[in-house]
Amino acid sequence: MLIWFIVIYLLFSVAIGLYASTRVHNAKDFAVAGRHLPLPMVTATVFATWFGAETVLGISATFVKDGLHGVVADPFGASLCLILAGLFFANKLYRMNLLTIGDYYRTRYGRAVELITSICIVISYLGWVSAQIMALGLVFNVVTGGEVSRETGMMIGAAIVLTYTMFGGMWSVALLDIVQMTVIMAGMLFIGYLISDQTGGVAAVVAHAQAAGKLDFFPHGDYTQWVPFIGAWLTMMLGSIPQQDVFQRITSAKTEKIAVQGSVLGGSLYFVFAFVPMFLAYSATMIDPQVFSSLLDSDPQLILPTLILKHTPVFAQVIFFGALLSAIMSCSSATLLAPSVTFTENILKHFLVKHMTDHQFLRAMRIVLVCFGLLVLFVALHAEVSIFKMVENAYKITLVAAFVPLAFGLYWKRANNQGALVAIVMGLTTWILLEVLNADSIWPPQLVGLLMSMTGMIVGSLLPNYLPRRHQTHHVE
């Protein structure tokens, strides 16, 4: 019954994606749904895109091992990213009426900054999307009792997500996210209700976790504890703001007000519901300590799936794996679309193949999406780190290279193209050197890179400008 449900659900997802393709008439429809999405859809896309494999499988496993202190990056940093993006970036970016976040860097600073930041943004998605594909492989492997290997499951999952995303673009993402957000929220709450009966209630789980020190959020100790903690928090909170998927949700909204509200609401919902998988995973260690303690040492990502298969009825299994598939596929489709649109618009169109018609541009986006999907599948098949770590590491490059030019460009009049280039060079160079030479330092390489990027922006912008001054027609006060 469980396997048949998954097959039907996957076919249903493909059908919605194919239906969404009837709404795609041009490149703008494919990339940002023609800027027609109402508040419920924007909220759903923001929530469902971030509520992915790392939330259900990665965060929950990390919490059981390290407590709240270990999940400072996600959900704390991730949800704050969406809220900050809504409060301080959404209105300004929405008014500029751009197709990608890379277009902002070109408009504000010039083509050199556009090219470098766009490459960094595209690279950052490799780890994130690969984590979702890895999770799909894990799900197929678990529900078939090992009949489908993880590698085969990854290939099947990638093919399904590629199919409906390639045809429907942002419209397929938006329509599916409405369905998937409903399944995720209802499914997780229902499973939480069932599991709480086996642990003596929510209060009992919370009390047990508190006694075990799992609810200690802030570090105890001197700066050697605080600096890595702050670095992990800022990496996700700031490094994920200059991302195309966040930008797409903002610019897909029907109005500026909806763009702001949708981002804040989606981020808030994400923060609340991210605690449900953590509750479930910790409950597992109370229900069967021996089994789940061994999983914690061998493969923590299997804690939740194993709990559901061994301690809930078939109907609950259907609900859980439906919610899990919803979370993974919604995140996968959006994060496949974002770098593909960025590469096509800001690298292919402006630097490699110029003067494309709208039809050629739309076709190019679909071809790039397939190519990126195959690259992501290759990375997923050869990855050796956890889902949580792959997602956490994805934002380091955008933190050191893209955040400062974005924030300073919107809020500091004196920021210029020379300052942006110096910021990018100093941020990237510092981060790469420290990762190679001293990755285990108390000071996280990406945090030092961020500080150097800020220094480079200020110094580079205030020094005599040796680069041609760019007329900033879209600068927003």
Side-chain angles (χ1 to χ4, degrees), residues 248-439:
Q248 274 179 317
R249 272 123 204 85
I250 291 171
T251 51
S252 297
K254 189 181 294 185
T255 66
E256 179 184 324
K257 184 178 180 180
I258 289 175
V260 175
Q261 292 177 339
S263 186
V264 174
L265 284 173
S268 302
L269 280 173
Y270 174 74
F271 180 75
V272 172
F273 274 87
F275 283 91
V276 180
M278 286 190 266
F279 167 79
L280 294 175
Y282 193 80
S283 297
T285 64
M286 296 173 61
I287 294 171
D288 196 341
Q290 185 175 357
V291 170
F292 291 106
S293 293
S294 63
L295 276 179
L296 195 60
D297 295 328
S298 58
D299 193 347
Q301 294 167 165
L302 286 174
I303 289 177
L304 260 187
T306 305
L307 170 70
I308 302 304
L309 288 174
K310 288 192 172 185
H311 295 277
T312 62
V314 174
F315 177 70
Q317 294 172 22
V318 168
I319 296 295
F320 172 80
F321 284 103
L324 179 56
L325 277 174
S326 293
I328 298 171
M329 291 199 303
S330 62
C331 192
S332 300
S333 58
T335 50
L336 267 175
L337 180 64
S340 304
V341 172
T342 299
F343 182 87
T344 310
E345 164 73 3
N346 302 113
I347 300 174
L348 187 66
K349 182 180 176 181
H350 289 149
F351 292 93
L352 301 176
V353 184
K354 299 181 180 180
H355 310 299
M356 284 191 287
T357 64
D358 188 79
H359 177 72
Q360 291 171 330
F361 183 52
L362 176 59
R363 184 173 58 186
M365 279 194 287
R366 285 172 165 153
I367 294 172
V368 170
L369 189 143
V370 173
C371 294
F372 190 79
L374 294 174
L375 178 60
V376 161
L377 177 60
F378 177 82
V379 173
L381 289 170
H382 295 84
E384 297 182 356
V385 296
S386 69
I387 291 171
F388 183 81
K389 281 298 179 185
M390 288 190 76
V391 173
E392 187 179 22
N393 291 336
Y395 303 105
K396 292 179 179 180
I397 188 171
T398 46
L399 177 70
V400 302
F403 175 73
V404 169
L406 173 64
F408 276 69
L410 290 174
Y411 284 98
W412 192 38
K413 292 181 180 179
R414 299 189 67 174
N416 57 33
N417 52 341
Q418 177 176 274
L421 286 170
V422 175
I424 293 169
V425 171
M426 289 183 64
L428 280 174
T429 303
T430 303
W431 170 61
I432 293 171
L433 285 176
L434 289 178
E435 286 282 2
V436 173
L437 302 176
N438 198 18

Side-chain angles (χ1 to χ4, degrees), residues 133-154:
I133 301 302
M134 286 172 62
L136 284 172
L138 186 148
V139 171
F140 284 122
N141 177 256
V142 169
V143 299
T144 60
E147 291 296 322
V148 174
S149 67
R150 291 196 185 189
E151 291 75 14
T152 304
M154 290 182 202

Side-chain angles (χ1 to χ4, degrees), residues 127-272:
W128 191 3
V129 190
S130 297
Q132 313 310 314
I133 301 302
M134 286 172 62
L136 284 172
L138 186 148
V139 171
F140 284 122
N141 177 256
V142 169
V143 299
T144 60
E147 291 296 322
V148 174
S149 67
R150 291 196 185 189
E151 291 75 14
T152 304
M154 290 182 202
M155 296 177 190
I156 295 171
I160 292 169
V161 174
L162 268 175
T163 299
Y164 69 74
T165 309
M166 181 181 66
F167 284 103
M170 189 61 194
W171 270 116
S172 69
V173 171
L175 291 176
L176 273 169
D177 281 353
I178 285 288
V179 176
Q180 290 165 338
M181 186 179 83
T182 304
V183 173
I184 291 167
M185 295 173 71
M188 287 295 165
L189 290 175
F190 177 71
I191 296 297
Y193 170 76
L194 285 181
I195 294 299
S196 64
D197 281 347
Q198 301 181 41
T199 58
V202 176
V205 177
V206 172
H208 193 284
Q210 188 170 22
K214 299 298 182 181
L215 300 187
D216 295 337
F217 179 63
F218 293 105
H220 302 288
D222 57 13
Y223 77 98
T224 60
Q225 303 295 317
W226 277 92
V227 171
F229 176 82
I230 294 172
W233 198 341
L234 290 180
T235 299
M236 202 79 162
M237 183 172 67
L238 303 182
S240 46
I241 289 178
Q243 289 283 2
Q244 175 62 17
D245 62 295
V246 175
F247 179 85
Q248 274 179 317
R249 272 123 204 85
I250 291 171
T251 51
S252 297
K254 189 181 294 185
T255 66
E256 179 184 324
K257 184 178 180 180
I258 289 175
V260 175
Q261 292 177 339
S263 186
V264 174
L265 284 173
S268 302
L269 280 173
Y270 174 74
F271 180 75
V272 172

Side-chain angles (χ1 to χ4, degrees), residues 71-137:
V71 295
V72 58
D74 195 358
F76 291 93
S79 55
L80 274 174
C81 156
L82 297 172
I83 293 171
L84 291 176
L87 294 176
F88 298 104
F89 295 86
N91 56 347
K92 293 178 179 291
L93 292 174
Y94 187 87
R95 293 172 202 160
M96 297 176 72
N97 193 23
L98 304 171
L99 190 67
T100 68
I101 188 71
D103 290 343
Y104 166 80
Y105 293 106
R106 182 183 69 252
T107 301
R108 184 65 173 87
Y109 299 112
R111 292 193 181 277
V113 175
E114 173 196 17
L115 178 62
I116 300 171
T117 52
S118 296
I119 291 173
C120 291
I121 289 168
V122 170
I123 291 173
S124 72
Y125 278 97
L126 278 174
W128 191 3
V129 190
S130 297
Q132 313 310 314
I133 301 302
M134 286 172 62
L136 284 172

